[in-house]
Amino acid sequence: MKSYWKKGRKQKLIIVFGSVLLLLLLFFLRDDYQPILLFIRKYIFLILLGGIFLAFAFRAFRHSETFFKRIAYLALIAGVFFAGWYVGWKLELYEYMQTYNVYNNLDKVEIDELPLTTNERIQPYNNILTMAYESISETQEVSLPQLVRVDNENKWTMAVQPAQEYTWQRVNDNTEEVFSVESTSPFPRFSNENRIPVTFSIGESLAFSRNTYNAVVQRFNIFQLFNLEPSEVFYMKNDTGAWVQVVSLIKWKGFFFPYPTFGGVMIIDSGEHNFNDYVERMTIGKGLYVSPDQMDNYPFLRKQNTLAEQISKLQAESLKFLAGFSDPLPWNMETAVKIPDLKDDENTQPYVTDFIFDDVDNTAFNGLYHWFGLEPIGEERTSLAFSVFVPADGTQKLYYYNHAAKKEGLAGVSAMPLKVIESKKEYDWDNNRPVEFRPYIKHIGERKRMFVLGTVTAKRKDSKKFDGSATPDLALVDVQYRDVIWIDAKHPSSWEKTIYNQMAEVWSTAEGLNLKSENTLEVKATDTITNTKAIKEALQAIARDSIN
């Protein structure tokens, strides 16, 4: 380079121009090469270890005097890297160590009783997505539905945005609408007041600098480029009532086997962009960064759903280390658990659920949580081992209830589809599937009882998705007694009464309680009426005999 610089003025101009151009490219294209920086950050320990080994190995290779020694060194290098790949990735040792780091740095709280559920959602995730696509035009698509709190109600929100297939619309148009539909209604409507007219000049499907991912990454400083990455996008109202995009951020921590944690959010305001906004978006991106420590300064972010599922899944899986570092290994597995993924269910755990933690733990809030029902690792073992509650607003805590240690003998989510199918054999189960078994915990029959709420949804044979239903059939399964209770989706207020009437006698017999269902009372009343009539008729007969 020095010799080229000294050749003359032309060469100096080329070097200066090339250097400036390279710096400009590095500045403006940082959203394109940031995945490379993240890769280096995630695997920095392995990269350094492999680099040091290669340096010594090639040094020995160059100083070797014979052909056979050089072949031996090359074989050694190939063998070491193959062994590293096999142990680290094939046997998942890298993921094992990463999950162990998550476990060690997680604030875990064991609770002695289950929280109650409230505001149960009725329609499953894929039905909401299907019905949203039934309500838009050809050149539009919807973002993935997210369950968030809007005006103190739990709602599915998603943006109506230009479709990926139409490049001109992605370059030229804005996101003009947001769907906000009730999660507790069996009849979610995608019209009128549930179609919110709001303009976002930055969107998930928009192109170039107007893309949400690009705008957020451009906003990062040099240190954040190595440690943060955008994840899921949520649409909600801020503290002034204006609609905003909230982008959940993942932060990578640690040097040995880095692991993901909640890294705060980036808030993107609505509104059309002028020239100044365009320049800002192109140069330093768009959005307001809110770190995890600053979340309490924004009331609309508290008790909200802003946590990436990638993080909560890893946190829930880390409970397999409760009995120690070596417990998940094949010869131990005392508390080794997994997150069950049902074959026919397109929306896997976690399920965002509204919980009431009153009288359970005073450090927990009432609101939205990511719920997991963990089961033993073996495929044939489908018991419910743990209920895990991860605060959906990114609060660095995890609450868990240990069903296995209490020897409750509850059935897990994996066992539920067959129980529902068995309870109604007359169904066309080739075209219908019981899906999304989420928790339903109520105080019924003198104590808290846990059920799982599943939805029966239609699916055509040639379809890759669930095709949706306006009024789905709902089934509750008592995880202790394994009984299936079919409930009316149109009348949620009657669910507890339906459960009680079906299960009261069973609970009374099994638990020695004095519970009486309405059915029993009706039977007793009928018996009383019948007996009264019989007595009356007998007295009349006696009277006739006396007269005769």
Side-chain angles (χ1 to χ4, degrees):
M1 182 65 75
K2 287 184 179 180
S3 60
Y4 186 79
W5 175 270
K6 294 178 181 178
K7 283 186 177 181
R9 184 171 178 272
K10 180 180 178 180
Q11 285 72 20
K12 291 180 180 179
L13 288 175
I14 291 174
I15 291 177
V16 171
F17 178 79
S19 300
V20 172
L21 180 62
L22 179 62
L23 289 174
L24 289 175
L25 290 175
L26 288 173
F27 179 76
F28 285 104
L29 300 180
R30 55 192 184 276
D31 56 305
D32 293 308
Y33 63 78
Q34 200 238 0
I36 300 174
L37 302 181
L38 280 175
F39 179 85
I40 295 172
R41 171 68 182 91
K42 294 175 186 178
Y43 302 104
I44 182 65
F45 169 66
L46 297 181
I47 291 172
L48 289 176
L49 193 64
I52 293 171
F53 170 75
L54 275 179
F56 282 103
F58 276 115
R59 183 173 180 274
F61 173 82
R62 292 175 57 188
H63 288 83
S64 58
E65 299 176 353
T66 65
F67 173 78
F68 292 105
K69 281 188 177 182
R70 293 193 173 189
I71 294 296
Y73 279 120
L74 289 176
L76 175 64
I77 293 171
V80 168
F81 277 95
F82 175 79
W85 168 82
Y86 185 80
V87 174
W89 272 261
K90 191 70 174 176
L91 299 181
E92 299 180 344
L93 179 61
Y94 184 87
E95 182 181 342
Y96 187 94
M97 295 301 301
Q98 186 182 67
T99 309
Y100 185 65
N101 279 344
V102 171
Y103 177 81
N104 282 334
N105 292 277
L106 186 61
D107 187 1
K108 302 170 289 295
V109 179
E110 183 175 4
I111 55 179
D112 293 325
E113 62 177 299
L114 291 168
L116 299 176
T117 57
T118 185
N119 299 319
E120 282 78 18
R121 60 184 178 89
I122 294 178
Q123 291 282 1
Y125 173 91
N126 277 287
N127 280 14
I128 294 294
L129 188 60
T130 299
M131 286 186 278
Y133 271 101
E134 294 170 353
S135 308
I136 57 176
S137 66
E138 168 62 24
T139 59
Q140 295 175 322
E141 68 178 24
V142 294
S143 63
L144 296 178
Q146 299 285 2
L147 188 65
V148 299
R149 183 156 291 180
V150 179
D151 297 331
N152 295 320
E153 294 182 13
N154 296 338
K155 294 191 175 184
W156 292 106
T157 63
M158 61 213 88
V160 181
Q161 55 195 14
Q164 293 283 350
E165 307 94 283
Y166 295 90
T167 305
W168 174 249
Q169 282 79 0
R170 294 176 58 214
V171 174
N172 185 64
D173 296 347
N174 294 321
T175 296
E176 300 289 353
E177 275 186 327
V178 170
F179 283 140
S180 177
V181 297
E182 300 89 346
S183 65
T184 56
S185 171
F187 313 106
R189 294 182 301 123
F190 292 81
S191 59
N192 301 328
E193 67 274 10
N194 293 335
R195 299 179 78 118
I196 313 299
V198 55
T199 299
F200 285 102
S201 298
I202 294 174
E204 297 173 73
S205 71
L206 302 185
F208 307 122
S209 65
R210 303 201 307 143
N211 180 267
T212 299
Y213 173 85
N214 294 345
V216 170
V217 173
Q218 293 285 76
R219 199 67 167 179
F220 290 160
N221 60 39
I222 185 64
F223 299 105
Q224 291 172 334
L225 285 172
F226 282 91
N227 292 297
L228 293 179
E229 64 175 308
S231 183
E232 301 169 34
V233 181
F234 304 83
Y235 294 85
M236 61 187 69
K237 287 184 179 181
N238 63 12
D239 293 320
T240 64
W243 282 89
V244 293
Q245 285 184 61
V246 176
V247 185
S248 182
L249 302 177
I250 296 175
K251 183 176 183 179
W252 291 87
K253 287 186 175 182
F255 179 76
F256 300 101
F257 308 102
Y259 59 95
T261 61
F262 180 64
V265 299
M266 192 76 77
I267 302 173
I268 300 176
D269 293 326
S270 56
E272 295 188 10
H273 285 182
N274 55 29
F275 179 75
N276 292 334
D277 292 318
Y278 173 78
V279 173
E280 181 183 1
R281 193 177 69 227
M282 288 289 295
T283 53
I284 59 173
K286 268 287 188 181
L288 172 66
Y289 174 62
V290 180
S291 69
D293 296 333
Q294 298 172 328
M295 295 282 283
D296 286 341
N297 299 331
Y298 299 84
F300 78 98
L301 294 177
R302 295 200 296 264
K303 304 179 184 180
Q304 186 57 273
N305 181 22
T306 56
L307 179 66
E309 291 185 2
Q310 176 185 345
I311 297 173
S312 62
K313 281 185 176 182
L314 204 56
Q315 290 177 346
E317 287 177 348
S318 72
L319 288 185
K320 63 187 178 183
F321 292 103
L322 273 175
F325 172 76
S326 62
D327 187 69
L329 296 175
W331 52 86
N332 290 325
M333 292 195 174
E334 180 183 342
T335 61
V337 288
K338 69 177 185 297
I339 299 173
D341 289 334
L342 303 186
K343 180 181 178 181
D344 292 325
D345 206 333
E346 294 180 18
N347 182 32
T348 58
Q349 296 183 28
Y351 297 132
V352 180
T353 308
D354 204 341
F355 287 100
I356 300 174
F357 268 82
D358 292 341
D359 303 324
V360 175
D361 190 284
N362 56 13
T363 66
F365 61 81
N366 298 335
L368 298 177
Y369 288 77
H370 290 192
W371 177 84
F372 297 86
L374 303 185
E375 300 176 7
I377 285 181
E379 291 186 5
E380 297 179 355
R381 294 159 182 82
T382 57
S383 64
L384 182 61
F386 294 95
S387 283
V388 180
F389 312 86
V390 181
D393 65 353
T395 303
Q396 296 297 310
K397 276 195 175 184
L398 178 146
Y399 302 90
Y400 69 95
Y401 183 90
N402 195 336
H403 299 280
K406 293 177 172 57
K407 301 186 184 300
E408 294 181 348
L410 306 184
V413 170
S414 297
M416 296 303 145
L418 286 179
K419 296 186 184 303
V420 173
I421 292 172
E422 177 72 18
S423 69
K424 280 202 175 182
K425 300 182 180 69
E426 67 274 16
Y427 254 66
D428 179 11
W429 292 113
D430 290 332
N431 295 306
N432 294 278
R433 296 287 188 277
V435 299
E436 283 194 24
F437 290 94
R438 46 215 186 266
Y440 183 85
I441 306 169
K442 298 293 181 180
H443 198 287
I444 308 175
E446 299 186 5
R447 68 178 179 87
K448 286 183 180 179
R449 299 184 187 273
M450 183 175 184
F451 308 82
V452 287
L453 172 63
T455 307
V456 178
T457 186
K459 181 178 182 180
R460 291 190 295 265
K461 290 182 180 179
D462 58 345
S463 175
K464 295 181 179 179
K465 293 182 178 180
F466 297 123
D467 300 300
S469 172
T471 53
D473 288 334
L474 299 180
L476 281 166
V477 185
D478 188 323
V479 294
Q480 184 176 17
Y481 290 87
R482 277 75 166 173
D483 196 24
V484 180
I485 305 111
W486 291 87
I487 53 178
D488 186 355
K490 300 177 185 178
H491 301 95
S493 59
S494 68
W495 292 358
E496 292 187 38
K497 180 180 178 182
T498 303
I499 296 170
Y500 185 84
N501 285 339
Q502 180 168 329
M503 299 299 298
E505 289 191 55
V506 177
W507 294 336
S508 295
T509 304
E511 301 173 18
L513 303 175
N514 186 24
L515 303 176
K516 297 178 181 179
S517 70
E518 290 188 3
N519 295 333
T520 304
L521 296 176
E522 289 173 3
V523 170
K524 289 184 177 179
T526 303
D527 291 343
T528 303
I529 293 171
T530 303
N531 293 336
T532 303
K533 288 181 178 178
I535 294 170
K536 185 177 180 181
E537 290 174 357
L539 290 174
Q540 289 175 348
I542 293 171
R544 285 195 299 268
D545 293 339
S546 300
I547 294 171
N548 293 333

